[in-house]
Amino acid sequence: MNIVNPPPPPALSPELFARFVAIVGDKHALTDPAELEAYVTEERNLYRGHSPLVLRPGSTAEVAAICRLAHEARVALVPQGGNTGLVGGQTPHNGEVVISLKRLDAIREVDISSNTMTVEAGVILQNAQAKAAEVDRLFPLSLGAQGSCTIGGNLSTNAGGTAALAYGLARDMALGVEVVLADGRILNLLSKLKKDNTGYDLRDLFIGAEGTLGIITAATLKLFPKPRAVETAVVGLQSPADALKLLGIAQGEAAGNLTSFELIAEIAVDFSVRHAHNRDPLESRHPWYVLMELSSMRYDARGALEAILERGFEDGIVTDAAIAASITQQQAFWKLREEISPAQKPEGGSIKHDISVPVAAVPEFIAEASAAVVKLIPGARPVPFGHLGDGNIHYNVSQPVGADKAEFLARWHEVNSLVYAIVLRLGGSISAEHGIGVMKRDELPEVKDKTAIELMRAIKATFDPHGILNPGKVL
Ligand code: FAD
Ligand code: ZN
């Protein structure tokens, strides 16, 4: 995708270049095009940027020095963590300097009594989860990219994932943040407090800001009790409406112990089976699938899961179900779900949406969006899947079989407009968990409250008066 404005920044003078390099040292300033490649491209090849320089600071003080110089010299910076973001927010589209936080990967403190863990921004999510497990706690943020995304990126995008149903989004798991402001000042909000009503909540401004208001360098995260039992099932059903009924039964039976409830269309299972070599745990194919998980400390999760499924069978909602009999099987169920996105690649172009609507409106959304998309592009194949329990559907549309990929992808915005109109009519959001980045930047003013946009612009101007932090993203 071509990203045009803002105008490219002027080339760095050799003197400025050298001053930036001196902050991190030669070894951590990348200039070789081969080394830069991984920072200017992204996994899906949807965006390709360019940059003269990637800086890899090793401390908050170095991040501060970089920002101070960039602010003084009006040099644009693009913060980057694991480079797994899905809306082009971490890509230097206009030749900006990339500031990679990956070397800030220390776990500063684990405080078991307070149930907190203070980690630096570059800590990989999976490592944060493992550290929590080591002390018999749970850090519940969980998503497909967890092996490479970072805590800084998770907070900056306010990531959701598969456990948001029970634990909320990244914002709900952060007690405090340490942030370097655009002018290099360090804002220390690394509080462990649950209760702290001392004025405006600045922390929450940086969470979900996609690197446009400051650079997160560390965070104090909440830890939770580690579940003693986790039970997972794959369920076959006839429709999203039946899945919604099953969700109601499950929430009635398991309440907060229901930690995941993922809806998957048959075509998504088919792609994941054929292209990612996963196994459909059910004996025959079903039009819709649900992957549900219950986690608990003392409560009989297995008994509850069986009771939910039994009710589902009795009510004619569930047509088949498989309960994982081992951890290996549990992992296989999740692999089937996690590999839907990559399994879409061999099917050609895919036009993506990450939307949310009120949970009750999901069946109506899917039905209307699919009818509209297929009417617009006959043969287009909707591949809806996602977090039904949060009303968040990844409404992807694969190209018609045999169609021209580029021609199909050229209709990206046309398809988006059609789908977003339905989302908005149902009271939903055009970005449930991936953020705005550049992908949805131009749509944002059309869908968001006008006063909210004015306030967002005013906040941006206050925090980053010279517009050096991730210019052209979000706003
Ligand atoms: P990056 O991609 O490097 O950056 C993302 C944004 O944050 C950019 O705007 C960047 O400028 C900014 N940023 C990064 N670090 C900092 C920092 N320290 N300070 C300030 N700004 C910063 N998301 C979900 O919410 N739920 C999912 O289930 C989910 N599944 C995914 C599955 C796959 C396979 C992939 C590839 C992505 C998925 N995502 C999901 C997208 C998700 O947003 C990212 O994976 C993750 O949160 C981004 O972390 P990152 O470290 O890779 O950030
Ligand atoms: Zn998701």
Side-chain angles (χ1 to χ4, degrees), residues 160-162 262 337 354 385-387 392 394 433-434:
T162 49
E262 303 280 306
R337 157 68 181 88
D354 160 41
F385 65 93
H387 322 290
N392 173 195
H394 297 306
E433 58 173 11
H434 296 162

Short mmCIF file of all heavy atoms in Angstrom, two decimals, residues 160-162 262 337 354 385-387 392 394 433-434, ligand 2:
data_model
loop_
_atom_site.label_atom_id
_atom_site.label_comp_id
_atom_site.label_asym_id
_atom_site.label_seq_id
_atom_site.Cartn_x
_atom_site.Cartn_y
_atom_site.Cartn_z
N GLY A 160 -5.49 -6.55 22.34
CA GLY A 160 -6.59 -7.29 22.97
C GLY A 160 -6.23 -8.76 23.10
O GLY A 160 -5.72 -9.21 24.11
N GLY A 161 -6.50 -9.53 22.04
CA GLY A 161 -6.12 -10.94 22.04
C GLY A 161 -7.21 -11.85 22.57
O GLY A 161 -8.37 -11.45 22.74
N THR A 162 -6.80 -13.09 22.84
CA THR A 162 -7.79 -14.14 23.08
C THR A 162 -8.26 -14.26 24.53
O THR A 162 -9.15 -15.04 24.82
CB THR A 162 -7.22 -15.50 22.63
OG1 THR A 162 -5.93 -15.64 23.21
CG2 THR A 162 -7.13 -15.58 21.12
N GLU A 262 -14.03 -17.95 20.97
CA GLU A 262 -13.65 -17.52 19.62
C GLU A 262 -14.59 -18.14 18.58
O GLU A 262 -14.83 -19.35 18.60
CB GLU A 262 -12.22 -17.98 19.32
CG GLU A 262 -11.18 -17.48 20.30
CD GLU A 262 -10.75 -16.04 20.02
OE1 GLU A 262 -10.35 -15.76 18.89
OE2 GLU A 262 -10.86 -15.22 20.96
N ARG A 337 -6.74 -22.15 15.34
CA ARG A 337 -7.27 -20.79 15.38
C ARG A 337 -6.21 -19.75 15.03
O ARG A 337 -6.44 -18.85 14.22
CB ARG A 337 -7.84 -20.52 16.79
CG ARG A 337 -7.93 -19.07 17.24
CD ARG A 337 -8.96 -18.29 16.45
NE ARG A 337 -9.01 -16.91 16.89
CZ ARG A 337 -8.24 -15.94 16.40
NH1 ARG A 337 -7.38 -16.20 15.43
NH2 ARG A 337 -8.36 -14.70 16.86
N ASP A 354 -10.80 -5.21 11.30
CA ASP A 354 -10.74 -5.59 12.71
C ASP A 354 -11.79 -4.72 13.40
O ASP A 354 -11.52 -3.61 13.80
CB ASP A 354 -9.33 -5.29 13.25
CG ASP A 354 -9.28 -5.18 14.76
OD1 ASP A 354 -9.95 -5.99 15.43
OD2 ASP A 354 -8.59 -4.27 15.27
N PHE A 385 -13.72 -14.46 11.56
CA PHE A 385 -13.33 -15.20 12.76
C PHE A 385 -12.97 -14.17 13.82
O PHE A 385 -12.75 -13.01 13.49
CB PHE A 385 -12.14 -16.13 12.48
CG PHE A 385 -10.87 -15.41 12.12
CD1 PHE A 385 -9.93 -15.09 13.09
CD2 PHE A 385 -10.62 -15.04 10.81
CE1 PHE A 385 -8.76 -14.42 12.76
CE2 PHE A 385 -9.46 -14.35 10.48
CZ PHE A 385 -8.52 -14.04 11.45
N GLY A 386 -12.91 -14.61 15.06
CA GLY A 386 -12.45 -13.66 16.08
C GLY A 386 -13.11 -13.85 17.42
O GLY A 386 -13.65 -14.92 17.72
N HIS A 387 -13.04 -12.77 18.18
CA HIS A 387 -13.34 -12.83 19.60
C HIS A 387 -14.81 -12.50 19.84
O HIS A 387 -15.14 -11.37 20.22
CB HIS A 387 -12.42 -11.87 20.35
CG HIS A 387 -11.02 -11.84 19.76
ND1 HIS A 387 -10.14 -12.90 19.87
CD2 HIS A 387 -10.35 -10.90 19.04
CE1 HIS A 387 -8.99 -12.58 19.27
NE2 HIS A 387 -9.10 -11.38 18.76
N ASN A 392 -15.75 -8.67 18.84
CA ASN A 392 -14.64 -8.26 17.96
C ASN A 392 -14.41 -9.34 16.89
O ASN A 392 -13.97 -10.44 17.21
CB ASN A 392 -13.40 -8.05 18.83
CG ASN A 392 -12.11 -7.79 18.04
OD1 ASN A 392 -11.03 -7.88 18.62
ND2 ASN A 392 -12.19 -7.47 16.78
N HIS A 394 -12.59 -10.40 13.23
CA HIS A 394 -11.64 -10.12 12.16
C HIS A 394 -12.34 -10.51 10.87
O HIS A 394 -12.38 -11.68 10.50
CB HIS A 394 -10.34 -10.89 12.39
CG HIS A 394 -9.68 -10.47 13.67
ND1 HIS A 394 -9.38 -9.15 13.92
CD2 HIS A 394 -9.31 -11.14 14.78
CE1 HIS A 394 -8.83 -9.04 15.13
NE2 HIS A 394 -8.79 -10.24 15.67
N GLU A 433 -9.00 -3.71 18.00
CA GLU A 433 -7.81 -3.99 18.80
C GLU A 433 -6.50 -3.73 18.08
O GLU A 433 -5.45 -3.77 18.70
CB GLU A 433 -7.84 -5.43 19.35
CG GLU A 433 -7.95 -6.49 18.28
CD GLU A 433 -7.82 -7.92 18.81
OE1 GLU A 433 -7.86 -8.14 20.02
OE2 GLU A 433 -7.68 -8.82 17.96
N HIS A 434 -6.50 -3.45 16.81
CA HIS A 434 -5.22 -3.28 16.11
C HIS A 434 -4.75 -1.83 16.02
O HIS A 434 -3.59 -1.58 15.73
CB HIS A 434 -5.28 -3.88 14.70
CG HIS A 434 -5.49 -5.37 14.71
ND1 HIS A 434 -5.93 -6.07 13.62
CD2 HIS A 434 -5.33 -6.28 15.70
CE1 HIS A 434 -6.02 -7.36 13.93
NE2 HIS A 434 -5.67 -7.50 15.20
ZN ZN B 2 -7.65 -10.60 17.39
#
